[in-house]
Structure formats: structure tokens, C-alpha cells
Amino acid sequence: MTSVSDAAGLAKIADTLSEPRAIGRLSQVCERWIYTCLCFALDFDEQKRSGFRYQYSSYQIEYSRNLIFQVGGHLDQVFQALIDRSRAPLDLKTIKTILGYRRRPRYRRTKRSAEWEVNVERPAYDLTIFKLHCGKLSLKIYSKGERVLRIEAVAHNTLELNCGRSLEKFPEVVSRLKGVLERFADALSCIDQCFIGDDMLEQLPLASRVGKTIVGGIDLNKARMRKVVEAVIALAPSPNGFTAADVAARVGGFGNDRRAPYGPRHAAYDLKKLRAKHIVCRIGHTRRYEPLTNGLRAMTALVVLRNKAIKPLLAAAQPLHPTRGAQNPKPIDAHYRALQLAMQCVFHELGIAA
């Protein structure tokens, strides 16, 4: 594990990599490496006589951001809650956990003398990783050490960033990868802390206009529109946005009805509805889309309300039967149980038959 005494100073140095002056510094580093480590390098006189020049490129790059917690126990609480709330919306298939032999401390401990240890198979603390693959780009979050939560964007091939890979393009490569990581973090924040205003809830079913075209409203009581919304939420962290074909592919994977296939043309029309409500927008003049911050929060809130609030309320209208309860109860299970008991009285007063 690498430690640093001045994290703010290191961050300032890292920020200079996205500036044009970083090109000369990196070129000097490459030159020193070539002339000290490689025996086939030409000296400066031979280069000048033959006109030979070295060209440097970056093929892979990683950009990370560390969140440092004062108490290790708080890290676990925040990270596990983030995984629980984002796993279903983002359609995460697998989450990898490597068990450690220590628990993260509830309170900050005094510093001990430095301990050097190399232990890959059995880390000191539990290591939880969830990762999203987007072509040749990867986005992941994992806990590192006692109190560090790391968000990371990896470009396995810098051509995926569409800005070139030569050393002269390195500051732009860093800037674009930084933008990818920030959009990923923003998407996670919107999904984790969702919100919808009363005015948007009332305006969703009404017809709207995109340019000179009038499009219908958004009715989440229809299964097709719900699937589209869930697909857009799942595609929200995509670094380069998503297309109508991407939405159609995910919507097609939700259901088993082969009689009415859902294609890119259907997705384009549904995305136009979302554009009219300022939930998604086009990226420049391309055919790619990305969700807006308020729109992503609103869509996530609607999905959570339907799946986590409305459905349990409707279930409370059914006759209660004694149950053995959950085998591994969580605090939310107790809330749902209390909600069911209370809603029975409410439905009785409103005259809703069970």
C-alpha cells in the first residue's frame, strides 16, 4: 500500500498532467528512459545526422479519484448502501468481494509504526469491487486500504476516447478520461440520491413539443415506457452516451414477447418523449444521448417509488397471513411490516376492499 503525507500537493501535481506543459515533461522522461535502459537508442549526434526522431504514444491510461474517510466503518456503510441502491437500476451482474482478516475500525486509531507486508490473496480488509464495461473503457469502484474508497476509469485502448494517442494529445486524453469519471460519479450520485418534483410528476402525462413535432406524454403505467426508463437508467454511466439501438437492445432483453419486437425506431420515438420532458438530451449533433441530472434523478425516483413503495402498499391491501419472516431480516423489512399493518387500517377507512 502506498502512502503520501501531502495528498493535496499530490493532487495539484496530478492536475498538471492535463495541461499542455506536461507534454515536454513526459517527453523528457521518455528520453531519459530510452537512453538509460535501451541499448539500441541513437545518441543525439546520430539523430541529428540521420534526421531520426522518436515518437511517443499512450495506449492505456487510468484515472482515479480517492474518497478518504475519517472512520473506516463509515466507508463500509456508505459503500454497501451505494451498492444496494444502484445494483438493480444499473443491472449489475456480479459484485466481487475478497474477504480480509480485519474489520474496518469504527473509530480512528492512532498511527502505528510502518508495517511492510505483501499479501495479495488475503488482504487486510474486505475488498469489494463492482465494475462496468463500456466497450474498451471500464468504470469501477472499490474499497482500498482502511479508509479509502476509489473511483476509477480505465481506457484499455485510448483510441476509444476519439482524440488520438500521440504524446501531443496526452493532456486531452487525461481531460476526456477525467470527464468520463466525473460523469460516472454524477450518475451514481443521481441514482443513489433520487428526487422528483411535484411539477414534473404532473407534467409527465401531458403532450409536449420537440422542435415543431408534438409528441405524447410519458405514462409509466404502460410496461413499454417503464422498460425504456429502466434501460436509460442502466445506460446512464456509459462514457460516450448511448444510441437508440442500445436502448432497444436492453428493452428487448426485459420481456419475452416475440410477437411485437421493439426496435431502434420505437426507441427513437420514446427517447424523443424523454427529450421533450428534459430528461435526456442529444450529445451535440450526433445520434447519441445522455440523461440530464434532474431527469436521471426523477426517473430513478419514479422507478424506486413504484417498485419499493407503491407495490408494497398494494400488497398491504391483501389479507395478512402469519409468516415466518425473513431469514436474514434487514431494517427495511421491519419498516415494510409496520407499513403493511398500518395500511390495513387506512384501506379499511377508505373502503378499499382487500
Side-chain angles (χ1 to χ4, degrees), residues 21-41:
R21 59 180 177 175
I23 299 174
R25 296 175 181 174
L26 291 174
S27 179
Q28 293 175 3
V29 171
C30 294
E31 293 286 349
R32 285 200 302 268
W33 178 74
I34 284 180
Y35 287 101
T36 56
C37 300
L38 300 181
C39 59
F40 57 82

Side-chain angles (χ1 to χ4, degrees), residues 90-92 130-140 152-162 177 180-181 183-184 187 233-242 246 250 288:
L90 293 180
D91 194 22
L92 295 175
F130 82 75
K131 184 186 299 185
L132 297 175
H133 292 287
C134 307
K136 296 179 181 178
L137 299 176
S138 295
L139 303 167
K140 60 182 179 180
E152 193 171 280
V154 182
H156 302 285
N157 190 332
T158 51
L159 288 180
E160 190 78 7
L161 299 173
N162 299 320
L177 199 59
V180 168
L181 184 141
R183 287 195 298 273
F184 177 48
I233 294 174
L235 294 169
S238 300
N240 298 320
F242 52 87
D246 296 332
R250 295 197 71 89
R288 307 190 73 85

Side-chain angles (χ1 to χ4, degrees), residues 164-299:
R165 58 167 47 146
S166 63
L167 186 62
E168 290 74 16
K169 299 291 185 179
F170 187 80
E172 187 175 356
V173 169
V174 174
S175 298
R176 293 203 179 190
L177 199 59
K178 178 182 177 181
V180 168
L181 184 141
E182 290 177 346
R183 287 195 298 273
F184 177 48
D186 289 343
L188 288 176
S189 175
C190 292
I191 293 173
D192 183 47
Q193 299 294 331
C194 53
F195 171 80
I196 183 170
D198 293 339
D199 53 345
M200 177 176 285
L201 195 60
E202 295 177 354
Q203 295 295 325
L204 280 178
L206 304 180
S208 304
R209 184 184 297 271
V210 179
K212 297 182 179 180
T213 306
I214 298 177
V215 295
I218 298 174
D219 185 3
L220 292 181
N221 291 320
K222 296 181 178 179
R224 165 173 159 171
M225 204 65 217
R226 288 201 306 272
K227 294 174 183 177
V228 171
V229 168
E230 292 172 357
V232 170
I233 294 174
L235 294 169
S238 300
N240 298 320
F242 52 87
T243 63
D246 296 332
V247 175
R250 295 197 71 89
V251 171
F254 279 109
N256 299 319
D257 188 3
R258 302 295 181 181
R259 295 172 296 176
Y262 186 88
R265 294 184 63 183
H266 303 91
Y269 178 71
D270 291 333
L271 286 171
K272 184 175 288 188
K273 291 182 181 181
L274 296 177
R275 287 172 56 200
K277 300 299 181 182
H278 304 289
I279 294 176
V280 301
C281 66
R282 272 188 173 176
I283 302 177
H285 298 286
T286 66
R287 295 185 178 181
R288 307 190 73 85
Y289 302 84
E290 64 179 357
L292 298 173
T293 300
N294 291 336
L296 184 57
R297 290 185 188 275
M299 286 189 298

Side-chain angles (χ1 to χ4, degrees), residues 7-29:
L10 181 61
K12 291 181 180 179
I13 295 175
D15 290 339
T16 61
L17 293 176
S18 58
E19 299 177 359
R21 59 180 177 175
I23 299 174
R25 296 175 181 174
L26 291 174
S27 179
Q28 293 175 3
V29 171

